[in-house]
Amino acid sequence: MKHSQRRDVTLVEAVNMALTWEMEHDPDVVVLGEDIATNGGVFRATVGLKEKFGFRRVMDTPLAENLIAGTAIGMATQGLKPVAEFQFMGFIYAGMEQIISHAARMRNRTRGRLHCPLVYRAPFGGGIHAPEHHSESTEALFAHIPGLRVVIPSSPQRAYGLLLAAIRNPDPVIFLEPKRIYRALVQSVADNGEALPLDTCFTLREGEDVTLITWGACVMETLEAADELEKQGVSAEVIDVATISPLDRETLLCSVAKTGRAVIIHEACRSGGVGAEIAASIAEAGFLDLQAPVVRVTGYDTVMPYFGNEQAYLPQVGDIMEAVEQVIAL
Amino acid sequence: MKHSQRRDVTLVEAVNMALTWEMEHDPDVVVLGEDIATNGGVFRATVGLKEKFGFRRVMDTPLAENLIAGTAIGMATQGLKPVAEFQFMGFIYAGMEQIISHAARMRNRTRGRLHCPLVYRAPFGGGIHAPEHHSESTEALFAHIPGLRVVIPSSPQRAYGLLLAAIRNPDPVIFLEPKRIYRALVQSVADNGEALPLDTCFTLREGEDVTLITWGACVMETLEAADELEKQGVSAEVIDVATISPLDRETLLCSVAKTGRAVIIHEACRSGGVGAEIAASIAEAGFLDLQAPVVRVTGYDTVMPYFGNEQAYLPQVGDIMEAVEQVIAL
Amino acid sequence: MRQIHEFRVDSTRYLDDHGKPLGDLPQQARDTERTLAAYRNMVLTRTFDAKAIALQRTGKSGTYPSVLGSEVTGTVIGQSMAKTDVFVPYYRDQATHLMRGVALKELLLYWGGDERGSAWKQCPQDLPVCVPIATQCCHAAGVAAAFRIRGEHRAVVCCLGDGGTSKGDFSEAINLAGAWHLPVVFVVINNQWAISTPRSIQSGAETIAQKAIAAGLPGHIVDGNDYFAVTEVLDSALERARGGKGGAVIEAVTYRLGDHTTADDATRYRSAEELKKAWEKDGVKRLQNYLHAAGLWHPEQEKALQDQCRAQVEAAVAEYLATEPEPPTAMMDYLFASLPAELQSQRERIARKYRGGES
Amino acid sequence: MRQIHEFRVDSTRYLDDHGKPLGDLPQQARDTERTLAAYRNMVLTRTFDAKAIALQRTGKSGTYPSVLGSEVTGTVIGQSMAKTDVFVPYYRDQATHLMRGVALKELLLYWGGDERGSAWKQCPQDLPVCVPIATQCCHAAGVAAAFRIRGEHRAVVCCLGDGGTSKGDFSEAINLAGAWHLPVVFVVINNQWAISTPRSIQSGAETIAQKAIAAGLPGHIVDGNDYFAVTEVLDSALERARGGKGGAVIEAVTYRLGDHTTADDATRYRSAEELKKAWEKDGVKRLQNYLHAAGLWHPEQEKALQDQCRAQVEAAVAEYLATEPEPPTAMMDYLFASLPAELQSQRERIARKYRGGES
Ligand SMILES: Cc1ncc(C[n+]2csc(CCOP(=O)(O)OP(=O)(O)O)c2C)c(N)n1
Ligand SMILES: Cc1ncc(C[n+]2csc(CCOP(=O)(O)OP(=O)(O)O)c2C)c(N)n1
Ligand SMILES: [Mg+2]
Ligand SMILES: [Mg+2]
């Protein structure tokens, strides 16, 4: 029964909508985490699920991220499809051993006998005036781990379609939600259970002169910059990478083949960020297309400051404009 | 008393020599880990230390990497200089939260009031026929964390000098020891307490036609390839990055400015490896110098196979030759 | 052939919910000055707490975790610790920080999003506020190990919440404390809630103190709103620790009287009824009743104290609000002892970008 | 006012070190067929173990962890578990794997560096060998949670070593088992050593079973070399678990009679004296003595069994040595359910590089 009703929702509401749809249509989907049941999650992403599906499928866990990561793996080996929430990305690190050594490897090390159809959700990124450790963007750590998919939505529609795809995917997915834009925009989303493809970039805006490559909350500043650039007669193509691993290099390379110039924007610190892999790939495979070096607009190589100075850390529209001017100049 | 006696030692013996020297000369240096005291470490890196310095400074811990990482931090805030061993890099992940959220940040978040003059040692890399989880090369995870230094020796002399520097450095250092070459070569090392500089690449061989950039055990295959290339009339410069974070980009760029070509060799899987950051940096700052794309010779984007197939995963001399021919061709 | 091995934890209280002694008080109770000093700190803490919440509500500060309900235990910790001991806090220890000499302004800066709020002048060796749950337990073990290594007769007090005891860090740290006989006392502030998660979901263990048994440590339950009980149990635990007799785990039973933080709304998950009951056990009021009944405290003294605390807090707030923000370049200046060449250029970019950003 | 809360763990044994009953045996002892089946598995395991070590010594296999000393407990686990239960092992559970139907050849492939050694045909739901210490405890809790979610009356047995109990995973997992009443039994093989680290350095707790108290679970100590004791305690724990009465922690006390692995040299850290004493408690010999004394087993049966086990192992070894290595391309084929486009090119490179590498 595809009750294809449309709703105007924010990104976090779209997450809730996708979870609700999938739990209604697949009894194997369960959710677990800290404060996700009775409280509906500290960002309300799971609100209403316990009431609809009961505490057997919507589980408040004791306070232990390693346990959450590992318990989800055990559940997944039994064919359940757990969607586990880490309350903030800054607290996922305790789960790294389970994620790297087990979730990402179960299928490979058992030659397909067991696998991990699970999703690890976590709000990530800064800019919301949060206490320390609540503003991490360390997606690169997961993008370097074979066996994981790392998916980052940047709009209510993509949050809905990509989360459905992540839950249905038979392998582990790290699903990072840019909390800075959890409620930044409202979109009309058809609640019809239609998933979007993983492993694919989304071209949000076509352009001729330069390719702006980004993901997560930075998509907002990047689109803004593209508008500004247009006024200045510069036509920018904007690509939301969305699945940062495995990377859809083809879409990126085709765009650069067209524009000859690329600027990568991400919030994470510069060194070793996902921007490095993208820049390296473009510079290698697109060597003959590039008319200017691939430039990165990123956070600095330091710890995200406490919120008093967090804006000074985050890439801003002006920074993107400056970078584009730099590559266009060449 | 600098008893500058020379000894012919392997890389792992050089590690032991450096630990011994520094513990003799600095009472604040202590070592801890699993099986490091009575057993002298599973690779014998700490053999003899308990006998020389006693169990108060040489501590066998309970089996818990998160505890080892965190206890070392507590000790360091008291001005001790702990050198903590993770028995294998594959088991460091349980310590990630302590390393990322605390060791790397203590100085910054207390505005210098407290800091972490500690070293986390771990043997890393494959090629020794070990069981699964014993062949990890995930140095990129640490290279992306601001506040950490990540140092990788690739010879007995550099192991001695860099470990001394790491222990004396007032900030946390991840010291990764390429166990594949723990006993691969013997060098005469002066046991004189002289440290080598951190944050600096080492140019192991000068050349004109191409720059080969690598670190860790791959230095062996890279030097071999350079010899082969010479026979073919190709003059290769070989650089051991050594400190992969923070990165000495200047040395790398100067070399590429000279050769116009670069090949990066590392054992870790390709996507998001440290090779990506190096390639991106060279492609950006060296854009006008490059006569060919920067090519990476790396492990594949999959889990290191069990040892039956591990050789098929590791970069080999032939792979390096092939890559060089490719960039020279352009 | 079956054998039985027995283990035990004890629980202590001296005052009833209204401050009436249930029997003879421990001899510390004779130290009136100490008792009054504790009471003053509780009132100051509570005054500060209300103000900090108000600052967040009016956009003058960030998310803040109210300490309401932890004042008694927190104050005793600060009082029982020697200056040379080291305190390893979590993030709800305002009462202890104030006893240890942390400035009101420093607490305001920290929760106001300014790293300088952790550069404590008066207790330079205490560890900073710790947000990642239970991770501080391992640091506490490390500090205590440093004392043991150097043969110093100092002790560590580590605070965490009931939720924190579910995280492996706690078990690993108390286990090391037991194995190495470390001078560290773990005080679990059992306020019955971990955000919305009740104590019952946190663990099937009847008490939290019994988790000490897993580490071979003594475990004690104490009424966290009973000044005399907490004082006696903590004093003796610290004495044992400093005397080389090893650590302990103390479960201080109390209740989180406020929301988890200013970002939380506790009415979503707990009843007004439950909250009302908890207020009846309030330890600050309880001690005040005791002092009045014992003739050690009078209404006018109470009023004077209230005014004095308000004035002290207002002065700190004024200072806090008048503090110049740190220049953005500061984000690079404390990362390493000396900034690696590579990061210089990034710092220069920040300096260029922010007029006057150069420090 | 002081109150005391008491907790207990029990310990069980039925046979003395030489196999003589210390009193009445539990009724399971009457099941001679079961007892003999167990004994046969112990002998097969020990025969396999010696061969596996020999293969490593002669370069025909990789690092291997001898199971010497764990055969009795491991065999009982395999016997007490129902086919539909799930076993979550660590890496020294050969005795249990053989009882669960894992092929000798599969074990040889695994330790011989071939992933196909984990593609178990006979117990497809059992988790694979787990090398990262104690991490499997969380998986066990998850599998048990899946049973609870689906209302299935199945149980999980999770094995780990004494060293593993120091790692947070164990505490977190047993705590969840207690909080959620999960049908999971944790069996700690306390063989007194974690590589070179003795039990005494691992924890200050007098027993490992008492760690169950921290989770509100029943804790049992059992002589891990006493077939009847382990059988009784495990049978009843599994019955409780399947009956929805929750989990348990069982400490099986034994001794690691071999080196930690073939890469280890135990003479560096423990005395021949200690080892000799431990051999006197050997559980396999003990059961054999019992069977002989009870007239249930005769020397010629023993000889026949030995020959049969050797033949069985030799046949498996021949199969193992004759197994074609997996093509290098296999390293890409099981990473994801379907290989992402991006990885195709890497797979093709491998195929090109290795003539016949294409599968
Ligand atoms: C590792 C980690 N996980 C999650 C969080 C988010 N969080 C902050 S406080 C809290 C609850 C802590 O409860 P408790 O330990 O009882 O302390 P209390 O706040 O009740 O004093 C949670 C889940 C965190 N800060 N760190
Ligand atoms: C997380 C982790 N740390 C370290 C190791 C290395 N290691 C392998 S076995 C072992 C000792 C385990 O001892 P115990 O748990 O008692 O099991 P046993 O081997 O004695 O049966 C260690 C330290 C590991 N495999 N995993
Ligand atoms: Mg609490
Ligand atoms: Mg053991």
Side-chain angles (χ1 to χ4, degrees), chain D residues 90 161-163 189-195 256:
Chain D
Y90 73 135
D162 46 312
I189 308 293
N190 177 4
N191 60 14
Q192 312 304 328
W193 292 92
I195 305 186
R256 199 193 74 213

Side-chain angles (χ1 to χ4, degrees), chain D residues 93-347:
Chain D
D93 294 306
Q94 294 89 323
T96 311
H97 294 315
L98 293 179
M99 288 298 292
R100 296 283 293 169
V102 175
L104 290 165
K105 177 191 169 186
E106 289 173 327
L107 293 180
L108 290 167
L109 283 172
Y110 179 81
W111 294 108
D114 187 325
E115 283 85 350
R116 291 171 298 183
S118 296
W120 302 336
K121 307 266 176 314
Q122 295 310 310
C123 42
Q125 295 200 357
D126 285 0
L127 265 65
V129 164
C130 184
V131 167
I133 299 294
T135 51
Q136 74 277 12
C137 299
C138 301
H139 307 158
V143 173
F147 294 165
R148 201 197 54 159
I149 290 166
R150 289 173 167 163
E152 299 173 327
H153 296 288
R154 302 162 64 187
V156 178
V157 174
C158 177
C159 265
L160 68 152
D162 46 312
T165 62
S166 296
K167 199 156 172 280
D169 306 63
F170 170 70
S171 314
E172 293 177 350
I174 64 173
N175 187 61
L176 187 72
W180 286 5
H181 302 290
L182 298 177
V184 53
V185 176
F186 295 89
V187 179
V188 179
I189 308 293
N190 177 4
N191 60 14
Q192 312 304 328
W193 292 92
I195 305 186
S196 72
T197 308
R199 164 65 182 82
S200 58
I201 286 184
Q202 213 52 248
S203 176
E206 306 87 325
T207 73
I208 280 174
Q210 75 200 60
K211 290 173 182 280
I213 295 167
L217 288 180
H220 309 286
I221 301 167
V222 61
D223 180 336
N225 288 308
D226 182 331
Y227 172 70
F228 297 115
V230 183
T231 297
E232 183 193 51
V233 173
L234 195 59
D235 277 355
S236 64
L238 281 172
E239 201 175 307
R240 282 185 73 254
R242 292 193 205 97
K245 299 203 179 63
V249 175
I250 297 171
E251 173 184 5
V253 180
T254 180
Y255 190 91
R256 199 193 74 213
L257 294 168
D259 292 333
H260 170 69
T261 65
T262 50
D264 176 51
D265 171 11
T267 63
R268 293 176 59 85
Y269 52 80
R270 67 183 190 186
S271 71
E273 184 48 36
E274 180 182 314
L275 184 58
K276 192 166 149 301
K277 277 216 178 56
W279 268 110
E280 288 159 11
K281 299 178 184 295
D282 174 26
V284 180
K285 184 70 186 155
R286 199 188 295 189
L287 184 58
Q288 190 194 37
N289 291 343
Y290 165 83
L291 291 169
H292 280 310
L296 301 168
W297 194 246
H298 308 289
E300 57 281 5
Q301 285 173 297
E302 178 67 21
K303 164 139 193 5
L305 176 59
Q306 296 281 353
D307 296 345
Q308 181 203 324
C309 290
R310 249 193 310 278
Q312 200 178 336
V313 169
E314 287 305 335
V317 170
E319 257 194 290
Y320 158 68
L321 294 174
T323 305
E324 276 296 311
E326 235 185 351
T329 45
M331 77 173 78
M332 305 303 269
D333 294 340
Y334 302 90
L335 188 63
F336 294 104
S338 56
L339 197 61
E342 175 55 27
L343 299 190
Q344 285 294 354
S345 59
Q346 290 190 16
R347 188 183 188 285

Side-chain angles (χ1 to χ4, degrees), chain B residues 56 78 97-98 109 113 171, chain C residues 124 126 129 139 148 167:
Chain B
R56 269 176 179 250
Q78 281 294 308
E97 181 170 44
Q98 289 289 352
R109 57 194 296 266
R113 178 169 67 88
D171 292 307
Chain C
D126 285 0
V129 165
H139 308 158
R148 202 199 52 161
K167 197 155 173 281

Side-chain angles (χ1 to χ4, degrees), chain A residues 248-271:
Chain A
D248 168 16
R249 289 176 173 81
E250 196 183 337
T251 301
L252 299 171
L253 288 168
C254 289
S255 175
V256 173
K258 175 175 65 175
T259 63
R261 295 175 165 82
V263 173
I264 301 163
I265 303 96
H266 64 66
E267 185 173 317
C269 73
R270 178 189 186 83
S271 290

Side-chain angles (χ1 to χ4, degrees), chain A residues 34 65 87 91, chain C residues 90-92 131 133 162-164 191 193-194 260:
Chain A
E34 296 160 5
E65 284 70 18
Q87 202 162 77
F91 309 129
Chain C
Y90 73 134
Y91 48 78
R92 207 185 291 282
V131 167
I133 300 293
D162 45 313
N191 61 13
W193 291 92
H260 170 68

Side-chain angles (χ1 to χ4, degrees), chain A residues 180 212 218 221-222 224-226 228-229 263-267 270 295-300 310-327, chain C residues 331 346 349-354:
Chain A
R180 178 154 63 91
L212 305 184
C218 292
E221 288 79 29
T222 304
E224 221 183 296
E228 283 304 311
L229 287 165
V263 173
I264 301 163
I265 303 96
H266 64 66
E267 185 173 317
R270 178 189 186 83
V295 171
R296 291 177 277 167
V297 177
T298 70
Y300 299 97
E310 72 179 334
Q311 286 307 324
Y313 178 90
L314 299 171
Q316 283 147 349
V317 175
D319 302 314
I320 302 171
M321 305 285 292
E322 198 182 315
V324 171
E325 281 147 25
Q326 179 188 337
V327 297
Chain C
M331 77 173 78
Q346 291 190 15
R349 178 177 164 73
I350 301 172
R352 272 200 313 279
K353 191 169 159 189
Y354 296 90

